[in-house]
Amino acid sequence: MPLSRGERKLLPPWFISMTDTQWPRFEVFLTEDEGKPAAHVGSVHASDPEIALLNARDVFVRRPQCRDLWVAPAGRVLFRTAEELRSQPVPEESNDKTENLYLVFCKRSHREPLVFIGYRAARSEKAALADAVQEISLPEPTLWAVVSDQAVIRSQAQERASFFTPAETKDYKQHVRYPVARLIKEIQGK
Amino acid sequence: MKFGLSEDRRQLIAGRLLEMADDELIVSHRNSEWTGHAPILEEDIAFANIAQDEMGHAVTWYNALSSLTGQDPDQLVFFRAPSEYRNIQLVELPKGDWAFSMLRQFLFDKWEATHLEALEQCSFQPAAEAACKIRHEEKYHLRHTRAWVRRLALGTEESKTRMQRALDLLWPYCPQLYERSPGFHLLVDESLMPNLPRLAPVWEESVRSELTEIGLRVPDYRSSLKLSRDMHTEYLPKLIEELQQVARLEPGVRW
């Protein structure tokens, strides 16, 4: 059983490091095809960013359709639900830091995935979020995510042939090859 | 005269395809033994994926062989005695610890990279075309196993010790990668297959420089052990028994 956030606060740090044997978590974003936005597909554990990218490929690109893969350390991705934003609006930060580039993701409804909507230059991730929230108000998105461009590790275009193309030619990786739906109908019909 | 080959050449090529297929099949089986036992879930999936890819490559070579001789790949895999297998001993050694399996796959991937590149240039078209396709996937395997070999060699005292131990154990078996079977030189003379001994120093220098760079001691000898492909270790029969168990329960059954 993983410790809840409340439990963690009660325990000394040395205890957490002794019991938490998991490697750091990385969020994974996948672009299926040209013209489609990168979508959040899940997360992987990895010892470091390079292994995270490789693990993301093996866990999420077993089936074809992938052009591009991004990973980012989970701790660097700011997630905010619509409820959180309503109860705790993002503060307007006005410190004099220089602007950085952020990637903004948004989930427009419960049926849609969390997808990349664009880059924002801002003084912080919260400022980038505040900026994006103002821009897209209707319909109200259910979830937002913001991550610094510097925290994102991307697959390289020249790696496409070895990373993604092989999966396309493996018909055993394509669900249409397996007559599951037909078999279920047959069984149900008996 | 299939593919414009004489009967004699056809037999020799079929023999070489069987060697290549058996190498892939056995390394795939050994890697698949990690499924459910790898250090973390993600790596479990990744290594099972690599095992499945190698199985796919074995199928490619068995099919190419089948188109030459008409032999059924399933018969070859499930109804041959261990002594009839033609894989090298490097791939049949037990999976050992994680360092051992990663380093074995790395050494094998490095060989595949060198061998497939040369195979792509050879004049036996079915093999050249398949090599071209497989090579891309092998680039990914190499990236994966290299990432692990580097991290273990540069990691803790223990991981480094285990990696060195794995290298010392595996090194004597490596020359079999480029050992020629009888008659193979005839295929090389006609550019039907790559010149294996000529690839040996390419592989060795590249492996040496990568492993030395991360602080491993590569043995300075090249093993003089002459191993022919019909010689196997005591570990192969057990592996084959497990591999064939289900198929032999009811031969001829349709899946």
Side-chain angles (χ1 to χ4, degrees):
Chain A
M1 259 292 273
L3 299 170
S4 74
R5 226 183 260 181
E7 283 171 316
R8 277 170 176 273
K9 277 186 188 157
L10 295 171
L11 292 163
W14 60 264
F15 185 85
I16 305 284
S17 64
M18 268 180 70
T19 54
D20 193 353
T21 58
Q22 291 278 31
W23 278 341
R25 204 161 53 82
F26 291 76
E27 301 293 347
V28 181
F29 303 92
L30 187 154
T31 306
E32 277 193 350
D33 214 343
E34 200 117 33
K36 280 195 174 180
H40 182 236
V41 288
S43 59
V44 290
H45 290 97
S47 52
D48 55 82
E50 192 200 352
I51 295 281
L53 192 62
L54 299 182
N55 285 348
R57 184 264 191 191
D58 283 310
V59 174
F60 293 104
V61 196
R62 281 195 34 81
R63 294 197 166 71
Q65 290 316 318
C66 181
R67 275 192 70 76
D68 219 350
L69 204 55
W70 302 342
V71 295
R76 301 281 307 265
V77 186
L78 173 75
F79 284 102
R80 282 288 182 277
T81 62
E83 290 80 9
E84 283 171 332
L85 279 177
R86 268 196 296 274
S87 64
Q88 217 177 5
V90 186
E92 293 276 337
E93 286 183 33
S94 56
N95 34 13
D96 55 358
K97 280 189 282 178
T98 51
E99 288 200 330
N100 280 311
L101 203 57
Y102 291 91
L103 283 71
V104 181
F105 297 83
C106 141
K107 183 174 166 71
R108 284 167 194 264
S109 74
H110 286 298
R111 278 192 302 274
E112 286 167 80
L114 177 67
V115 298
F116 177 61
I117 56 165
Y119 292 94
R120 295 282 183 289
R123 291 176 201 280
S124 70
E125 53 195 12
K126 284 185 178 165
L129 176 60
D131 200 25
V133 168
Q134 275 205 328
E135 222 165 286
I136 300 179
S137 51
L138 282 172
E140 186 188 49
T142 59
L143 179 66
W144 294 91
V146 179
V147 58
S148 163
D149 185 58
Q150 291 162 355
V152 180
I153 302 98
R154 299 167 166 87
S155 59
Q156 303 294 309
Q158 67 268 23
E159 289 166 337
R160 215 166 274 159
S162 66
F163 257 59
F164 310 131
T165 313
E168 287 171 16
T169 55
K170 294 187 179 189
D171 53 358
Y172 61 83
K173 289 191 175 181
Q174 323 236 6
H175 64 91
V176 287
R177 183 186 146 112
Y178 301 97
V180 179
R182 180 174 59 75
L183 286 176
I184 289 174
K185 266 186 201 154
E186 261 179 44
I187 292 163
Q188 284 170 342
K190 273 181 189 166
Chain B
M1 289 263 291
K2 262 185 185 167
F3 303 105
L5 297 167
S6 67
E7 173 60 21
D8 168 55
R9 296 293 181 273
R10 199 165 58 92
Q11 287 301 334
L12 283 172
I13 292 184
R16 176 56 183 160
L17 290 171
L18 185 65
E19 294 176 359
M20 286 153 58
D22 285 351
D23 284 350
E24 303 268 17
L25 177 76
I26 302 303
V27 83
S28 163
H29 187 90
R30 279 293 183 229
N31 291 347
S32 76
E33 290 175 353
W34 279 104
T35 307
H37 305 280
I40 63 158
L41 177 65
E42 283 82 349
E43 195 48 42
D44 202 295
I45 295 169
F47 208 40
N49 212 356
I50 288 181
Q52 199 179 31
D53 288 343
E54 300 292 24
M55 181 75 74
H57 301 166
V59 171
T60 303
W61 301 130
Y62 285 125
N63 284 340
L65 164 63
S66 176
S67 70
L68 280 180
T69 64
Q71 283 167 292
D72 174 21
D74 280 351
Q75 282 291 325
L76 286 172
V77 171
F78 294 122
F79 298 96
R80 246 186 319 158
S83 60
E84 296 173 288
Y85 269 80
R86 290 292 173 266
N87 59 280
I88 55 173
Q89 296 188 7
L90 178 83
V91 295
E92 71 191 42
L93 299 173
K95 74 180 196 302
D97 60 10
W98 187 246
F100 185 88
S101 276
M102 280 295 127
L103 186 67
R104 167 174 42 204
Q105 185 64 34
F106 173 78
L107 295 168
F108 189 72
D109 288 341
K110 288 289 282 182
W111 169 253
E112 292 241 275
T114 312
H115 179 239
L116 290 171
E117 192 182 340
L119 195 59
E120 229 177 288
Q121 307 301 321
C122 77
S123 67
F124 179 58
Q125 273 310 308
E129 281 163 25
C132 174
K133 217 171 121 182
I134 292 175
R135 202 152 71 89
H136 291 298
E137 196 156 66
E138 285 299 335
K139 265 188 211 161
Y140 179 77
H141 291 185
L142 189 54
R143 181 160 174 197
H144 184 103
T145 45
R146 175 186 289 131
W148 272 104
V149 166
R150 291 181 65 84
R151 278 157 183 76
L152 292 174
L154 300 168
T156 63
E157 265 316 301
E158 167 150 18
S159 71
K160 189 180 171 152
T161 306
R162 287 186 185 222
M163 196 41 98
Q164 185 62 52
R165 195 191 312 150
L167 180 58
D168 294 340
L169 281 168
L170 285 162
W171 191 251
Y173 292 93
C174 288
Q176 212 186 352
L177 284 165
Y178 36 82
E179 195 65 53
R180 288 164 300 177
S181 294
F184 186 78
H185 65 279
L186 296 169
L187 299 177
V188 178
D189 290 346
E190 293 166 29
S191 306
L192 286 162
M193 284 284 162
N195 190 336
L196 304 182
R198 199 171 286 170
L199 300 178
V202 181
W203 172 85
E204 194 181 318
E205 272 161 42
S206 169
V207 164
R208 211 171 261 287
S209 84
E210 278 204 48
L211 296 184
T212 310
E213 193 215 320
I214 51 176
L216 293 175
R217 288 185 317 277
V218 185
D220 52 11
Y221 66 93
R222 191 189 278 181
S223 166
S224 55
L225 208 63
K226 283 271 180 242
L227 297 170
S228 93
R229 282 179 177 262
D230 51 10
M231 292 159 68
H232 294 290
T233 64
E234 65 194 277
Y235 307 111
L236 186 67
K238 184 92 192 7
L239 182 154
I240 299 295
E241 190 193 327
E242 192 183 296
L243 178 78
Q244 299 179 336
Q245 206 171 32
V246 176
R248 282 180 184 247
L249 278 178
E250 188 121 20
V253 77
R254 281 181 59 83
W255 294 89

